[in-house]
Amino acid sequence: MTDSFGTRVLDIRTGDRETVHDLTGACAGFLREVAQERDGLLNVFVPHATAGIAVIETGAGSDDDLLALLGDLLPADDRWQHRHGPRGHGRDHVLPALVPPHATLPVIGGRLDLGTWQSVVLVDTNVSNTDRQVRLSFLG
C-alpha cells in the first residue's frame, strides 16, 4: 500500500484577515514527488472547524467575490448562537457546511487534472486563528 499512498501536511499562515489561499502549486509539487506519473486521487483536507477547501478561479477577482458572498451569507454579527471568540465568530463554524473541509481531485499521469481556470484553495474567514494545516493525500 505504501507505493500507492503518500501524504504530507502543509503549514499555512493565513494571517489576521479573511483569506482565500491558493494551494495549487503545493498540490502540484507534492504530486511530482509521490505520484510518479501514476493515475489516482488527491484528497485535500483541512482539519479545522472554521475553514474549507474550494476549487475556483483565482487572480481575476473570484477569490474576493467568494469572500464577499460569504460575508453576505454569513455576516459577522451577533445573530450566531456559537458565541466564543470575536464578534460574529459563530459564522466561521457554519462555513464548512457551505465550503467543505475537503476536496478529492483526479490525478492523471501524476498531474492534478484541473480545468484551465481552476485552482485549489483554502478558504478561511476565522481571523482569530492565523495558522492552519492542510493534509494532502495521494492514492494511486
Side-chain angles (χ1 to χ4, degrees), residues 76-100:
D77 59 21
D78 292 328
R79 74 182 69 201
W80 308 102
Q81 292 183 33
H82 187 102
R83 291 190 184 264
H84 79 85
R87 183 175 188 260
H89 176 64
R91 74 176 187 135
D92 300 324
H93 287 274
V94 177
L95 173 76
L98 301 175
V99 182

Side-chain angles (χ1 to χ4, degrees), residues 1 6 9 14 29 33 37-38 43 51 56 60 65 67 75-76 79 83-84 90 104 110 117 119 123 134-135 137:
M1 183 73 169
V9 175
T14 55
E33 293 178 25
E37 299 184 13
R38 292 177 292 168
N43 181 264
I56 65 168
D65 290 341
L67 291 175
R79 74 182 69 201
R83 291 190 184 264
H84 79 85
T104 300
W117 305 112
S119 295
V123 180
V134 177
R135 178 175 295 280
S137 300

Side-chain angles (χ1 to χ4, degrees), residues 19-88:
T19 190
V20 174
H21 181 88
D22 194 339
L23 300 168
T24 311
C27 291
F30 169 69
L31 290 172
R32 278 192 296 277
E33 293 178 25
V34 301
Q36 302 170 350
E37 299 184 13
R38 292 177 292 168
D39 294 351
L41 296 172
L42 175 68
N43 181 264
V44 184
F45 176 71
V46 56
H48 299 279
T50 59
I53 301 294
V55 177
I56 65 168
E57 178 182 9
T58 59
S62 298
D63 28 5
D64 291 332
D65 290 341
L66 175 57
L67 291 175
L69 172 68
L70 291 172
D72 290 344
L73 292 174
L74 305 171
D77 59 21
D78 292 328
R79 74 182 69 201
W80 308 102
Q81 292 183 33
H82 187 102
R83 291 190 184 264
H84 79 85
R87 183 175 188 260

